Amino acid sequence: MTPRNMLQLLPMAGHTRGNRSAATCHFKCGDACAKDVCNTSDNSYFRDIADQALSRRAALGLGGVAAAAVVVGQQLASAPSAAADNGGFGKGGGKLPFQAIAPVERTVDAVTVPEGYDWAPVIRWGDPLFSSAGDFDASNQSAEDQKQRFGYNCDYLNILADRGNGTTGVLVANHEYTNENVMFDPAWLEANPDEARLTAMAAHGFSVVEVRRDKAGQAWKPVVDGKRNRRIHMHTEFAVDGPAAGSDLLKTKDDPTGTVVWGMNNNCAGGTTPWGTVVTGEENFNQYYVGRGTPEEARYGISTEPSSRGWELTEERFDAKNAGYENEANRFGYIVEIDPHDPESTPVKHTALGRFKHEGANVTIAADGRAVAYMGDDERFDYIYKFVSRNKYREGDREHNKTLLSEGDLYVAKFNATSAAEIDGSGKVPSDGAFDGSGEWLPLLVRGTSRVPGMSVEEVLVYTRLAGDKVGATKMDRPEDVDVNPATGKVYAALTNNTRRGTDGNALADEANPRSRNRDGHVLELTERNGDAASLTFGWNILLVAGDPSVDTTTYFSGYPADKVSPISCPDNVAFDSVGNLWISTDGQPGTIGYADALHKVTLTGDERGRVQQFLAVPNGAETCGPVIHDRENSVFVSIQHPGDDGTWDEPTSFFPDYVESRATAGRGEFFGPRPSVIQVFRTTGNNGNGKGRGPKK
Ligand code: FEO
Ligand code: CA
Ligand code: CA
């Protein structure tokens, strides 16, 4: 076997973010953090700155302990006083009272939940969506088999209950990427490299799974052969729409029309639209393609080197050096809209929302009825965007509403400071008491016309990063989820981290990104002018600057005492409960503050504004994704992505969620090793809000 004849099983040592698993860096992002900064533009923004100067089953002997009492290893010996002090249910309201758990050491291979809560898997990688597939057997995988099953590394998640008695619905989830090192028997992989690559392609994408429960408030279970069940993968046909559809920039040998694409790639976060479709972002798509060395490819991080998964060895479209495929990568990096209620519908790539490393999109309706989508480009020094539809939302007219993201105006965010002279990268709060300022949505495309000098409409939408550079957008610390709080209309943007801030000639700290070498990230709060999502100006402030306040003096929690919060790092996905508390899932927390990735609740109003309370921790190696807070039904759902990602087929480092002790003792449909899964966390004790103690049945 030569290295180019098989998938690279072992990620490259040293390519890590903090102490984050090398495997995660390699397979998830293509080692993006180890590579050069993509945004080398000297845009006007840069000059402005210069001017301004339960464990449930407790695997492997760890188990069965109530979470609040879980204390494992050295880390917690020095755990912050916050851990002891973060008890109490808080005043944030919501229907899920809990006592914050102590942070959990990253090597604990268990889901840790608060006292009085329990968890169960809803669906796992390999679970069948169709009865033709039968029980999962990881030793007998194939691409055709994987297309019948829940895919790998679930990220964006939602549970959409049908109208009526609340006992049926659909679960929707992205499958961002694959961990070949733990998914495949290396002997099989070596003997079948093409089938292994095709199986990995089939494990990417999206799942729609019908779910059922006995009655509202109880546990959801997947329905095999549900009428809406669907797997979307790298060979599903997508339509391209919007102003760049049919552009020469999108044409290939396989699609001379520039309007049909096969597959979507590396879909990370997403949102559910007010009209009930799902929008999902193609994120680190660059890592799957071999480029020709153009400046546009470089701006998107597309390398001329062989790709890590070697898909170009199986399908020539993944190598732009193959004649006729020069533009294949231009067909990825979009917001995709999927109708989960129509399994025959063609998913759509919306060029009107631009092309970049889309974390996801969240859609709201503006005061005048236009649809507004907020979007982050998850790369160091890249931008936050907003799309405003041309046409207006019509209540109940689903077919019309499904066209809203096809045409509209595209903007990119510029953040102005109030205390620029005081920002020195230390993270010190300015003398006016806040990191804050005004902001502008800079136009890229308005009423069908490019507002970017020297760029056509098609170029703005296909090379959107370059358009942002030209108009002077603010370089941000890796924008992840950007979402609207339905209770207040305020917009929350998670900036996950950026250790290059203020280093090596890169952009210096500014008031919206106030720390040099920002390892732990921060969260911005935006207030659109007049509360109108379609406004062209906004106010902003930093809600929190993340970290472990017991050892890091640069943290900030909107004035809430730092010794009374849970440590938090690398905010990624955001969600809201029924009364507007913010919930934040983290990705990469182990790399910086040393604890397992987590889900936190953050109170936004009242005298507890800024209070961070940890709700759960995920198993060894995993990140927390796609939180769904159904507090009225005593439930929280999360995707648990890449558990045990640094292990191997023969030597797993996580056994979540099956926790079988050997391959020989695995039961039917079980797996010896980790399985990315969606779990439901539910209350088992206490008051459900109706004065009766009950929780969903397992
Ligand atoms: Fe896939 Fe930006 O996280
Ligand atoms: Ca200020
Ligand atoms: Ca993410």
Side-chain angles (χ1 to χ4, degrees), residues 418-419 430 432 434 436 511:
T418 57
S419 311
D432 67 359
D436 61 352
E511 195 160 352

Side-chain angles (χ1 to χ4, degrees), residues 402-441:
K402 281 164 69 172
T403 68
L404 290 175
L405 303 183
S406 305
E407 191 179 1
D409 302 336
L410 187 62
Y411 302 92
V412 66
K414 180 177 182 185
F415 293 81
N416 302 311
T418 57
S419 311
E422 294 181 54
I423 303 300
D424 59 6
S426 69
K428 185 167 180 287
V429 180
S431 53
D432 67 359
F435 301 106
D436 61 352
S438 61
E440 304 160 56
W441 293 108

Side-chain angles (χ1 to χ4, degrees), residues 314-559:
T314 295
E315 293 188 0
E316 59 177 352
R317 63 172 166 149
F318 292 102
D319 188 342
K321 297 194 196 80
N322 291 327
Y325 294 106
E326 296 82 356
N327 294 329
E328 182 70 12
N330 288 346
R331 294 145 60 83
F332 293 80
Y334 294 99
I335 291 296
V336 177
E337 185 172 11
I338 297 167
D339 186 343
H341 302 293
D342 180 2
E344 302 300 322
S345 59
T346 303
V348 180
K349 296 200 181 193
H350 287 303
T351 64
L353 280 69
R355 172 173 169 264
F356 42 91
K357 290 191 184 179
H358 275 287
E359 170 71 15
N362 287 286
V363 177
T364 189
I365 304 298
D368 66 1
R370 289 180 290 170
V372 174
Y374 293 95
M375 305 175 284
D377 181 353
D378 183 3
E379 186 95 65
R380 297 168 302 203
F381 305 110
D382 263 294
Y383 310 135
I384 291 174
Y385 295 84
K386 181 166 95 170
F387 168 85
V388 182
S389 69
R390 174 191 165 118
N391 295 319
K392 294 180 181 176
Y393 174 78
R394 291 186 208 144
E395 184 68 34
D397 188 349
R398 221 155 165 275
E399 289 311 308
H400 165 79
N401 294 333
K402 281 164 69 172
T403 68
L404 290 175
L405 303 183
S406 305
E407 191 179 1
D409 302 336
L410 187 62
Y411 302 92
V412 66
K414 180 177 182 185
F415 293 81
N416 302 311
T418 57
S419 311
E422 294 181 54
I423 303 300
D424 59 6
S426 69
K428 185 167 180 287
V429 180
S431 53
D432 67 359
F435 301 106
D436 61 352
S438 61
E440 304 160 56
W441 293 108
L442 304 174
L444 300 176
L445 183 70
V446 177
R447 287 190 288 281
T449 305
S450 168
R451 297 298 182 91
V452 184
M455 292 183 81
S456 67
V457 168
E458 293 168 6
E459 288 168 336
V460 167
L461 297 181
V462 176
Y463 302 128
T464 310
R465 282 184 165 181
L466 285 87
D469 297 344
K470 288 200 173 198
V471 300
T474 301
K475 295 177 175 178
M476 309 300 291
D477 287 349
R478 294 189 53 203
E480 302 264 18
D481 261 1
V482 186
D483 202 355
V484 186
N485 186 340
T488 61
K490 288 181 187 284
V491 178
Y492 292 81
L495 288 306
T496 198
N497 62 58
N498 181 357
T499 54
R500 301 284 182 95
R501 172 73 62 184
T503 68
D504 304 330
N506 292 308
L508 301 173
D510 59 55
E511 195 160 352
N513 301 273
R515 277 194 304 208
S516 298
R517 296 182 172 82
N518 181 12
R519 297 176 322 160
D520 296 306
H522 55 288
V523 177
L524 286 173
E525 187 174 56
L526 279 61
T527 307
E528 295 274 28
R529 186 164 174 268
N530 298 325
D532 180 5
S535 172
L536 299 185
T537 58
F538 58 90
W540 65 269
N541 56 272
I542 290 184
L543 171 71
L544 62 86
V545 179
D548 179 347
S550 71
V551 294
D552 180 354
T553 57
T554 69
T555 59
Y556 169 76
F557 301 94
S558 286

Side-chain angles (χ1 to χ4, degrees), residues 16-22 25 75 106 588 590-594:
T16 61
R17 185 169 87 201
N19 293 323
R20 188 190 202 192
S21 152
C25 289
Q75 293 277 9
R106 62 183 302 245
T592 52
I593 61 175

